[in-house]
Amino acid sequence: MRRLGMRVAVCSYPGSCANPGDLAALRSWARTVLTARSSAKEPAVDEVVLVLDELATDALVSGGVCRAASLSFTADGVRAEVTANRRSVAVPATRRWSLIPVLASRWGRRPGAAGVRMWATIARTTVAAPA
């Protein structure tokens, strides 16, 4: 992800998810990364972990493998991204794709050389000033 004039910190998951048992390690990694970077303005850790898990689960349920996963920290929030080793970018009519638009401010899917890249940005929270 490149943004002109904007700093982006990317943390890449060191493995892949080839079966449902691998998802627990992905969630644990995400929680560790998010907790280490947490601040009052970052999105809720649980929301980001849930979105990343749903993206990776979609890769597995659709008969593929989650080849890569990452979390990117921008001025907008946190972007969870997964690359699945399949070609179809069709959005499945499942519960997970009804959750993502609720939790994410933006999301999408696009084909690439390595497969389908699915992403969702969870916006930074607005911290109200104390009364």
Side-chain angles (χ1 to χ4, degrees):
M1 169 195 300
R2 288 186 185 169
R3 296 241 174 146
L4 204 52
M6 181 182 290
R7 287 183 58 188
V8 176
V10 179
C11 297
S12 297
Y13 181 60
S16 64
C17 295
N19 61 64
D22 297 335
L23 293 171
L26 176 66
R27 289 189 302 268
S28 176
W29 168 83
R31 189 169 301 284
T32 299
V33 168
L34 291 161
T35 301
R37 294 189 55 93
S38 70
S39 72
K41 293 185 176 183
E42 293 295 347
V45 170
D46 291 338
E47 290 176 5
V48 177
V49 171
L50 176 60
V51 168
L52 182 64
D53 183 64
E54 294 297 327
L55 294 172
T57 299
D58 180 63
L60 295 175
V61 168
S62 300
V65 170
C66 171
R67 287 187 177 191
S70 65
L71 295 173
S72 302
F73 299 84
T74 70
D76 298 335
V78 178
R79 177 177 167 135
E81 191 168 305
V82 165
T83 301
N85 70 335
R86 64 172 201 265
R87 298 285 180 219
S88 172
V89 293
V91 176
T94 62
R95 177 184 61 85
R96 87 181 107 293
W97 283 100
S98 63
L99 283 176
I100 290 175
V102 171
L103 296 173
S105 56
R106 293 186 315 274
W107 62 276
R109 302 161 66 91
R110 65 181 180 274
V116 174
R117 182 173 290 166
M118 302 173 285
W119 60 271
T121 299
I122 301 86
R124 291 185 180 275
T125 58
T126 303
V127 179

